[in-house]
Amino acid sequence: LAKLAFHSEDSFEVIAAAGGIPAMLVAMRRHSSNFKLQQDGCLLLGKFAQIKDCRKAIDALRACEILVTVLHRHLEHARLQCLSCRALSKLVECKQLDVDGCEVASLIPCVVNTMEHHRVNGNVQMEACRLLLELASPQSPGMTENGDHYATNVATNCLPAVVSAMEQNSSHADLQEIFCGLLAKLAFHAEGVSEAIAAARGIPTILA
């Protein structure tokens, strides 16, 4: 499917119309230990989520569960961690994944674990932080009513990993920009987040 999908512009729509997306999700769930299958599946999911005509065929909750499993089972594979975080980001960005619920509770520790395990891998840090930034965006589903709760949850669980990644990747300008954007987004969402950033050594890290 991956070979066919990237062969022409309309291939993604053709695959979706033929039932390819649910079939792919079934394969990913059934063969969760197969690295190549998961890699192609994550790549395709991220692309399908960006195409309006394909989104309705995505069972977002099932996709989220599968992608979280990928993060757990393939922690050593940096590229697969990148692709899974990217696919999750696209699902949130396109309002396919409702972050106001149990999905957030399962996502946050997975993202933290990924960031801590690949501290000096700029690509992994970039995709993981983009996912956190997308989840923290006010336009994300669920954020209007639950934004303060989410910001506090991230501040409690993710800030040490974010600040540590900033320190480990200080020469990566694009990555520093995303990190600072995430900290700014969180700081303005809820009371106590600014203090949590300071407690996690965020201020001297930003100034550095």
Side-chain angles (χ1 to χ4, degrees), residues 49-105:
Q50 297 178 72
I51 302 173
K52 185 177 180 180
D53 291 340
C54 298
R55 289 176 204 155
K56 58 189 176 186
I58 300 175
D59 181 338
L61 182 57
R62 173 186 276 189
C64 176
E65 292 171 350
I66 291 169
L67 292 169
V68 167
T69 298
V70 170
L71 291 176
H72 277 304
R73 295 203 62 169
H74 299 276
L75 184 60
E76 300 298 326
H77 296 283
R79 174 165 170 74
L80 191 44
Q81 296 289 303
C82 286
L83 291 173
S84 182
C85 285
R86 187 181 304 164
L88 284 163
S89 294
K90 295 302 180 184
L91 288 172
V92 177
E93 179 186 348
C94 299
K95 297 180 170 53
Q96 292 297 103
L97 180 61
D98 186 353
V99 302
D100 186 13
C102 61
E103 296 95 328
V104 168

Side-chain angles (χ1 to χ4, degrees), residues 162-168 170 176 180 183 200-208:
V162 170
V163 173
S164 175
M166 288 184 73
E167 294 171 341
Q168 295 286 339
S170 58
Q176 296 294 309
C180 287
L183 294 179
R201 308 185 316 278
I203 296 175
T205 303
I206 293 168
L207 293 175

Side-chain angles (χ1 to χ4, degrees), residues 5-6 8-17 44 47-48 51 54:
F6 289 97
S8 65
E9 285 294 322
D10 61 347
S11 294
F12 288 95
E13 289 88 342
V14 172
I15 291 171
L44 286 168
K47 185 65 177 178
F48 280 129
I51 302 173
C54 298

Side-chain angles (χ1 to χ4, degrees), residues 13-194:
E13 289 88 342
V14 172
I15 291 171
I21 295 176
M24 179 185 70
L25 291 175
V26 168
M28 291 179 74
R29 172 171 282 178
R30 183 170 296 172
H31 304 285
S32 60
S33 62
N34 187 303
F35 169 78
K36 186 64 168 65
L37 187 156
Q38 300 302 320
Q39 180 174 271
D40 290 341
C42 287
L43 187 64
L44 286 168
L45 269 177
K47 185 65 177 178
F48 280 129
Q50 297 178 72
I51 302 173
K52 185 177 180 180
D53 291 340
C54 298
R55 289 176 204 155
K56 58 189 176 186
I58 300 175
D59 181 338
L61 182 57
R62 173 186 276 189
C64 176
E65 292 171 350
I66 291 169
L67 292 169
V68 167
T69 298
V70 170
L71 291 176
H72 277 304
R73 295 203 62 169
H74 299 276
L75 184 60
E76 300 298 326
H77 296 283
R79 174 165 170 74
L80 191 44
Q81 296 289 303
C82 286
L83 291 173
S84 182
C85 285
R86 187 181 304 164
L88 284 163
S89 294
K90 295 302 180 184
L91 288 172
V92 177
E93 179 186 348
C94 299
K95 297 180 170 53
Q96 292 297 103
L97 180 61
D98 186 353
V99 302
D100 186 13
C102 61
E103 296 95 328
V104 168
S106 63
L107 276 175
I108 291 176
C110 282
V111 177
V112 170
N113 198 32
T114 291
M115 294 179 75
E116 291 180 340
H117 197 79
H118 298 278
R119 291 178 188 272
V120 296
N121 189 311
N123 291 328
V124 173
Q125 298 297 327
M126 177 87 73
E127 296 299 340
C129 198
R130 278 178 175 160
L131 172 55
L132 291 175
L133 186 57
E134 198 60 53
L135 287 166
S137 297
Q139 70 269 20
S140 295
M143 285 306 298
T144 53
E145 297 179 359
N146 209 27
D148 288 358
H149 170 72
Y150 177 77
T152 302
N153 200 348
V154 171
T156 302
N157 297 287
C158 293
L159 283 178
V162 170
V163 173
S164 175
M166 288 184 73
E167 294 171 341
Q168 295 286 339
N169 299 274
S170 58
S171 63
H172 199 315
D174 291 342
L175 189 50
Q176 296 294 309
E177 179 183 340
I178 292 177
F179 283 138
C180 287
L182 174 61
L183 294 179
K185 188 83 71 175
L186 294 174
F188 287 100
H189 260 311
E191 292 183 7
V193 175
S194 297

